[in-house]
C-alpha cells in the first residue's frame, strides 16, 4: 500500500478496488493515525464487512450508486 507523505483532508475510499483491498487501505490510514477524514463508498451487501467498516468509524459511509452532490453536502464540501 502506497501512502502519501502527508495526510489529505479527505479520502474517498471504495472498498472494492480493482488492484487491492479498500479495507487494507482504511486500516493503514487508521494505523498510521492520519488526520484524513475517510468517506467509504461501497456496493457490498456483506453485513459482516459493513459492520467491520462501521467499527472503524468512517466520516461517512455511502452505498453505490453514489450521489456525488449528496456526498459533497454530507462532507460539507462546496461544489465547484
Amino acid at each position: 500500500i502506497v501512502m502519501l507523505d502527508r495526510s489529505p483532508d479527505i479520502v474517498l475510499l471504495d472498498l472494492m478496488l480493482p488492484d487491492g483491498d479498500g479495507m487494507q487501505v482504511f486500516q493503514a490510514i487508521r494505523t498510521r493515525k492520519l488526520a484524513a477524514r475517510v468517506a467509504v463508498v461501497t456496493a457490498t451487501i456483506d453485513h459482516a464487512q459493513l459492520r467491520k467498516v462501521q467499527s472503524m468509524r468512517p466520516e461517512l459511509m455511502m452505498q453505490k450508486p453514489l450521489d456525488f452532490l449528496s456526498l459533497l453536502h454530507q462532507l460539507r464540501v462546496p461544489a465547484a
Side-chain angles (χ1 to χ4, degrees):
I1 296 173
V2 175
M3 296 302 290
L4 304 172
D5 291 335
R6 61 185 187 94
S7 180
D9 293 330
I10 299 172
V11 174
L12 181 59
L13 181 62
D14 193 331
L15 294 181
M16 292 185 250
L17 301 171
D19 60 347
D21 179 1
M23 279 300 296
Q24 288 179 335
V25 174
F26 197 6
Q27 289 169 336
I29 290 169
R30 291 297 189 239
T31 299
R32 293 179 175 146
K33 299 184 187 316
L34 299 178
R37 297 186 302 163
V38 178
V40 174
V41 295
T42 186
T44 189
I45 56 171
D46 179 337
H47 295 290
Q49 185 178 31
L50 293 173
R51 281 191 300 275
K52 184 175 181 180
V53 172
Q54 288 173 336
S55 74
M56 296 174 69
R57 298 194 169 158
E59 177 79 20
L60 178 65
M61 196 163 155
M62 295 183 77
Q63 288 285 329
K64 288 181 181 178
L66 188 61
D67 178 349
F68 192 68
L69 289 178
S70 176
L71 171 72
L72 293 176
H73 176 74
Q74 290 186 50
L75 290 172
R76 296 174 189 86
V77 175

